[in-house]
Amino acid sequence: MTTFKTKRHIEIDEGYQGINLTEFAIKVDEQIDNDNIVDTFIRSKQFSFDSLRDCVKAEPDKGYLRQAFNIERIKITDFKKTDKKGTSKFLSDFYNEPDWGDDRSDFAKLLDRYFEIHNQIETNNFYILSKDWFSKEDDRIIEPESWVYIYYFLIIYVDKKSNSLTLTEWTYD
């Protein structure tokens, strides 16, 4: 059995962009691989509620945007597995996209704040999922979130040495 308990929650905002980071202590009773840990996590209350932004948790019936993925439909195979270097490359490539306009500087500030955390991470077990990888008709993304967010992606990393799983939710609305 795998359990998750919230250790810390940080919200980093720049303009209309933000990172919602939640770190969980994990307890794994049996030998379970990282894919199964993440798959169990994305179907848990800790993913669907505990890792939401504070304002959404405080007023769940208000019309705040939520996660853009349908947790009943996404699977671990939808995520791209990578390492620390691959995650840095994903973020750098995203930053270097040509269609940013004036908001690139806000993303750069988010990156700087995230890399302060990322550079201290010792694990190489990262999972990335972006709404941009799905068509608008795909039932793995939810409306209105999927079309309101300009970008929306998740980065999850598992560190078995420190018994932790961290979710970073990146949004721009």
Side-chain angles (χ1 to χ4, degrees), residues 67-162:
Q67 296 165 327
F69 296 112
N70 181 343
I71 62 172
E72 301 294 323
R73 301 273 189 244
I74 60 171
K75 298 178 274 189
I76 190 64
T77 55
D78 296 322
F79 286 80
K80 290 187 180 176
K81 290 173 36 175
T82 189
D83 57 15
K84 189 173 179 177
K85 185 176 178 182
T87 302
S88 296
K89 181 178 179 342
F90 170 81
L91 292 168
S92 296
D93 289 350
F94 197 82
Y95 172 78
N96 288 315
E97 287 287 322
D99 300 328
W100 269 101
D102 296 334
D103 296 329
R104 184 190 311 259
S105 63
D106 286 343
F107 189 77
K109 291 174 189 172
L110 287 178
L111 273 181
D112 288 345
R113 301 261 320 264
Y114 174 75
F115 279 133
E116 289 174 15
I117 298 165
H118 183 81
N119 291 336
Q120 297 174 26
I121 299 168
E122 294 186 20
T123 188
N124 259 326
N125 301 296
F126 289 80
Y127 296 78
I128 302 171
L129 185 64
S130 174
K131 81 166 185 91
D132 293 340
W133 301 340
F134 302 94
S135 71
K136 292 179 182 186
E137 299 80 31
D138 198 306
D139 65 354
R140 292 173 287 184
I141 55 175
I142 297 173
E143 293 180 3
E145 285 81 0
S146 64
W147 49 265
V148 172
Y149 286 124
I150 295 170
Y151 68 72
Y152 181 92
F153 57 88
L154 305 175
I155 299 174
I156 299 173
Y157 50 94
V158 177
D159 186 348
K160 283 186 173 178
K161 270 175 69 178
S162 67

